[in-house]
Amino acid sequence: MPKYYVSIPNLDQVILAKDPLDACVKISVINSIMTVGLYWKVSEIGFSDHKDDIYISDVEIIREINKRNKIGRAHV
């Protein structure tokens, strides 16, 4: 699994995940964090800014968590 660097205000964390969305979901569940109106920055390079950084809406993260909860696999 690739290593992802996930950043939101007040949190920078590295995690192994299958893709950027999975990384955000795992960070959210592990830290019991939900945000409103933010984009989470995800990189495979590091925490500083890169042209290849991916930004994932918290709406998309919450939608994925809800989807996983419905099929019983929200656990990390």
Side-chain angles (χ1 to χ4, degrees):
M1 267 192 234
K3 178 171 38 172
Y4 291 99
Y5 298 80
V6 179
S7 298
I8 57 172
N10 300 318
L11 178 73
D12 291 328
Q13 194 164 356
V14 181
I15 195 156
L16 297 176
K18 65 181 183 175
D19 57 45
L21 179 58
D22 185 47
C24 292
V25 168
K26 286 181 174 186
I27 296 292
S28 177
V29 171
I30 288 169
N31 294 290
S32 298
I33 293 173
M34 294 281 189
T35 61
V36 177
L38 292 179
Y39 282 84
W40 295 37
K41 184 177 84 166
V42 184
S43 172
E44 288 188 70
I45 301 170
F47 293 116
S48 56
D49 292 331
H50 309 95
K51 65 177 180 155
D52 295 334
D53 290 344
I54 297 168
Y55 292 87
I56 299 179
S57 166
D58 52 19
V59 172
E60 189 175 352
I61 296 164
I62 293 166
R63 188 177 295 132
E64 181 64 19
I65 290 170
N66 287 337
K67 177 179 158 188
R68 292 180 186 192
N69 281 336
K70 285 181 184 175
I71 58 175
R73 59 181 192 116
H75 305 292
V76 178

